[in-house]
Amino acid sequence: LLCGTRVNLFNSARNETLLSAQENGPVQLFFNAVKKAETSANGFDLPDNSKLQLGDSQDLQIYHDANGSFISHAATSGKLFIQTNSGSGIEINKGVSENIAKFIPDGSVELYHDAVKKFETTSNGVTVSGDLLVSKDGNTSFSLLDSGHGFSASQIKLSNGGRDLDIKAPKDIRL
């Protein structure tokens, strides 16, 4: 039983701290005399360039370095699953209020550009807000350009090497 307001655990030579615990304060873990983790009032803290590694082969890694923040599935097999309860969705946001993507269970997938919804899956297909450009190898082969007056397109353009444009419909086509 160890008691005290501060407890330090050293190696057998007493020249390297392994663990330091302070009453009403942090618990610090060391590796090779370098602090690797610490508890705080906010939770469990890791310094930059440290990885939280999970699994026998450290397959799941969560870390931050000078380039950004990462969730990495480092396994050579299996998949990374992101799951949610049936009533809640998954959102990817810039900050706390600007949407980038929403994934709604049993519902839509929504993609945003600069906080404006541009693409949404529906029970009937997809809805695109703005222009739709379809390309192959970087060359636009088909486009629907919004007239600025709602859903109807003001221009339909086909660029496919001089081939004819076939328009088929169950009723009359009016141009």
Side-chain angles (χ1 to χ4, degrees):
L1 177 64
L2 296 172
C3 295
T5 59
R6 183 176 188 104
V7 176
N8 290 319
L9 181 62
F10 296 95
N11 65 351
S12 60
R14 296 185 51 112
N15 61 0
E16 184 178 318
T17 303
L18 305 173
L19 178 135
S20 176
Q22 184 176 334
E23 183 179 359
N24 298 320
V27 173
Q28 301 171 331
L29 298 174
F30 295 81
F31 180 82
N32 203 20
V34 177
K35 182 173 67 170
K36 294 294 183 178
E38 176 177 30
T39 62
S40 70
N42 296 323
F44 188 76
D45 302 330
L46 298 172
D48 283 351
N49 301 311
S50 292
K51 292 182 179 181
L52 177 59
Q53 300 177 108
L54 304 170
D56 290 341
S57 299
Q58 296 80 38
D59 298 332
L60 177 61
Q61 301 174 356
I62 302 172
Y63 60 97
H64 173 80
D65 65 20
N67 295 314
S69 298
F70 301 88
I71 299 174
S72 176
H73 177 66
T76 56
S77 63
K79 300 173 186 168
L80 173 65
F81 293 93
I82 300 174
Q83 298 178 335
T84 183
N85 293 329
S86 62
S88 60
I90 296 171
E91 292 189 12
I92 300 172
N93 299 314
K94 175 184 171 188
V96 294
S97 62
E98 185 175 329
N99 293 319
I100 295 172
K102 290 183 179 181
F103 305 88
I104 296 107
D106 303 319
S108 65
V109 171
E110 301 172 0
L111 301 177
Y112 294 76
H113 176 80
D114 201 17
V116 177
K117 188 181 347 178
K118 293 295 182 175
F119 183 91
E120 177 180 14
T121 62
T122 68
S123 61
N124 295 320
V126 299
T127 301
V128 176
S129 175
D131 298 343
L132 173 65
L133 305 174
V134 180
S135 65
K136 181 178 179 182
D137 302 326
N139 298 313
T140 300
S141 57
F142 180 80
S143 59
L144 294 174
L145 305 176
D146 187 2
S147 64
H149 302 292
F151 184 74
S152 64
S154 62
Q155 181 182 11
I156 300 175
K157 182 178 180 182
L158 177 67
S159 304
N160 66 347
R163 294 184 187 156
D164 293 332
L165 168 62
D166 292 331
I167 301 175
K168 297 179 182 179
K171 295 190 176 189
D172 294 341
I173 297 173
R174 296 187 180 143
L175 300 174

